[in-house]
Amino acid sequence: MVYSITYRRPAHINSSRSSFNGDEKPGSIDGSIGSGNTAVASGIPSALSFDRVISGGTCPPCTTRDFMNYLIYIERSAENLQFFLWYRDYCQRFSQLPAGERALSPEWTLEKAETDASAAPPAAGNKKMSPEAVKMFKGTDFAQTKATISEFNPAPNPFHTPPQTPDDRSSVIPSESGWGNDASTLQSSRKANFAEKANVAYEAADVKLQPFTIQPFREEITRIIATYISEDGSRQLNLASKERAALLRALAFTTHPSAFRNVIHTVEWSLRHQAHPNFIRWSICNGNRPRVIFARGLGIAGILAGIITALLITLSGASRGWRVISAIGFMIGIATLIAAWKGMCVVLHGMHHRHLRPWELFAEEDDSSSVYELKKGSFDSLGSTNSYEDEPWVAKYDKRNVIRKVFDREVWIQEPALRQIQDTIFLQSILGAVLGTAIFMAIFIPVPKGNML
């Protein structure tokens, strides 16, 4: 079974940052998963839609894990998906709180946001430096005299009693270090660092945080600010300054999920309309770059072999019927070239195989199978940076010779919808080869024999 013969794979969408209008952004996050109403991007079947991938309704190589790997290693914007997954989980955990605890964090309404934005003071010309900057400029003309490091180290809060979070309400994307069973135990040094970064972010946005608060998940929000919102966060989101300031004003007032409304819409829009189409386009390619370049070379060689064969037979005294032999080279060459131009190797496709990704090649195998483990920490919503340059596989893969890369290890493609897309592209390449061969035959067959050989 294949898709329409006119099928076109998703176009590559360049990563560009802009603030989106409200009409362009998706609707409520709560109703997006499994709703079935989300528009499917051009070239992406419903079986591979963003909602299906995120909700775990797809098979390798189109799972949420594969999507995360793509964003880490290829697009380098995994923070969007990490923040999106954390937010979905946070909404669920917040909704499961007792009504009394939820009442401590009122909803951040549009009217409140507009009122707060109009009352916000203009940006201060003399912003306070971070502790690192204070140390760097100490003793120079640029030293900041009014602010000290102690200003960024908030005093312990004797009245802070975060809500207990039972084990059955724990996050499905837990932090590997920091949160304990009661969702409030943090390593003291890291806790102070997160609080310091969050306070710097609040100060930079001219936002005053309440000194004492018993709002639920306040410590977790502090870590989210330090990780995703702060300008020096390890997973800083690509937000406009206005968006960042508006979000910080909202978070200073409440920990309700509605405080993230505008930011999560921007993040989800980027995932749905830029990252996800590019991921599906990338997943369609069943060979690595050296293999695809090799396949293109074979396609061109096949076409050249067909042309040379046709020329030799035409220049000889053989009858015109023998010129049909050159059609073999044209068919194989054109079909291989068309498929390779779309990132596919016809040999791998014949077995419905794909090359293992470089980061999969050197991962620990599970029971001697081709199942690989995801990079440790990438699903940790409060983890460290997404940089991978120091991972062992990078140096190992660079040392791999080209021939070995061309014939790297393969694994079977489990996702049926992806196999259907590849079947469609293969059929298109065959039809294109038939048309191209017919054109070449129409050129060479009418030519009189040369009797020169």
Side-chain angles (χ1 to χ4, degrees), residues 166-187:
D167 292 339
D168 60 350
R169 285 198 268 124
S170 60
S171 172
V172 295
I173 317 167
S175 174
E176 291 182 353
S177 60
W179 294 100
N181 292 332
D182 61 349
S184 63
T185 304
L186 289 170
Q187 296 178 0

Side-chain angles (χ1 to χ4, degrees), residues 27-249:
S28 172
I29 306 296
D30 299 332
S32 64
I33 304 302
S35 63
N37 297 325
T38 305
V40 179
S42 175
I44 303 178
S46 58
L48 295 177
S49 65
F50 177 79
D51 294 333
R52 289 289 297 271
V53 172
I54 294 299
S55 60
T58 52
C59 299
C62 297
T63 62
T64 310
R65 289 173 176 262
D66 298 299
F67 192 17
M68 182 70 76
N69 272 338
Y70 168 77
L71 293 176
I72 291 175
Y73 298 116
I74 305 300
E75 200 160 285
R76 302 196 179 197
S77 59
E79 62 276 359
N80 288 332
L81 181 58
Q82 290 161 339
F83 181 78
F84 178 79
L85 294 175
W86 168 83
Y87 179 78
R88 290 173 64 241
D89 176 66
Y90 182 72
C91 289
Q92 181 180 4
R93 288 184 287 125
F94 191 91
S95 65
Q96 292 174 352
L97 288 174
E101 293 184 8
R102 292 200 307 270
L104 297 173
S105 294
E107 182 179 0
W108 184 255
T109 62
L110 293 176
E111 294 76 9
K112 175 63 178 176
E114 293 174 357
T115 303
D116 189 80
S118 60
N126 185 22
K127 294 185 178 180
K128 295 185 178 180
M129 298 181 183
S130 63
E132 293 79 6
V134 172
K135 293 179 182 178
M136 182 182 299
F137 293 114
K138 184 178 181 180
T140 67
D141 294 338
F142 301 99
Q144 193 172 37
T145 58
K146 294 184 179 180
T148 61
I149 298 177
S150 61
E151 292 179 46
F152 300 96
N153 293 327
N157 184 358
F159 302 103
H160 184 70
T161 54
Q164 299 294 317
T165 304
D167 292 339
D168 60 350
R169 285 198 268 124
S170 60
S171 172
V172 295
I173 317 167
S175 174
E176 291 182 353
S177 60
W179 294 100
N181 292 332
D182 61 349
S184 63
T185 304
L186 289 170
Q187 296 178 0
S188 58
S189 59
R190 295 192 65 188
K191 178 179 178 180
N193 185 43
F194 286 128
E196 181 178 304
K197 286 186 177 181
N199 276 280
V200 170
Y202 281 125
E203 298 254 357
D206 293 322
V207 175
K208 292 183 179 180
L209 183 65
Q210 299 178 18
F212 306 112
T213 177
I214 57 173
Q215 290 179 338
F217 302 118
R218 174 54 70 181
E219 287 187 1
E220 184 175 356
I221 293 299
T222 297
R223 297 192 70 186
I224 289 297
I225 293 173
T227 304
Y228 294 96
I229 311 303
S230 174
E231 293 187 0
D232 59 345
S234 58
R235 297 177 178 179
Q236 181 187 357
L237 295 174
N238 194 7
L239 301 175
S241 57
K242 287 185 177 180
E243 288 178 312
R244 181 179 291 105
L247 174 60
L248 290 171
R249 285 195 296 269

Side-chain angles (χ1 to χ4, degrees), residues 279-442:
F279 166 64
I280 298 300
R281 177 187 174 92
W282 175 79
S283 299
I284 292 173
C285 303
N286 60 4
N288 56 26
R289 182 170 178 79
R291 181 60 169 259
V292 171
I293 294 176
F294 179 72
R296 290 177 182 175
L298 287 180
I300 294 174
I303 296 173
L304 291 177
I307 293 175
I308 293 173
T309 302
L311 285 174
L312 291 176
I313 297 176
T314 301
L315 294 176
S316 69
S319 63
R320 295 180 178 180
W322 287 100
R323 301 175 192 176
V324 179
I325 296 178
S326 63
I328 298 176
F330 290 129
M331 278 290 298
I332 296 176
I334 296 175
T336 303
L337 184 60
I338 293 177
W341 213 261
K342 296 184 179 182
M344 281 180 49
C345 172
V346 293
V347 176
L348 291 175
H349 173 71
M351 300 177 288
H352 278 140
H353 282 188
R354 68 172 178 88
H355 271 156
L356 286 174
R357 312 300 183 190
W359 51 88
E360 300 171 10
L361 282 170
F362 304 98
E364 295 181 358
E365 295 184 349
D366 182 12
D367 296 331
S368 300
S369 68
S370 297
V371 180
Y372 61 93
E373 294 295 332
L374 182 71
K375 175 188 174 185
K376 184 179 180 181
S378 60
F379 271 74
D380 178 9
S381 57
L382 296 171
S384 59
T385 178
N386 292 317
S387 175
Y388 66 88
E389 286 77 5
D390 58 344
E391 292 186 19
W393 68 264
V394 177
K396 292 180 180 179
Y397 191 75
D398 287 341
K399 295 178 181 179
R400 214 174 180 87
N401 62 65
V402 176
I403 302 299
R404 196 173 181 184
K405 289 180 180 178
V406 171
F407 299 100
D408 255 336
R409 288 161 52 197
E410 306 165 10
V411 64
W412 184 60
I413 297 174
Q414 301 181 34
E415 175 53 50
L418 186 62
R419 295 200 302 267
Q420 285 183 289
I421 292 177
Q422 293 175 341
D423 289 340
T424 303
I425 293 177
F426 179 73
L427 180 59
Q428 290 173 341
S429 65
I430 293 297
L431 294 178
V434 170
L435 179 60
T437 301
I439 293 174
F440 276 111
M441 291 296 96

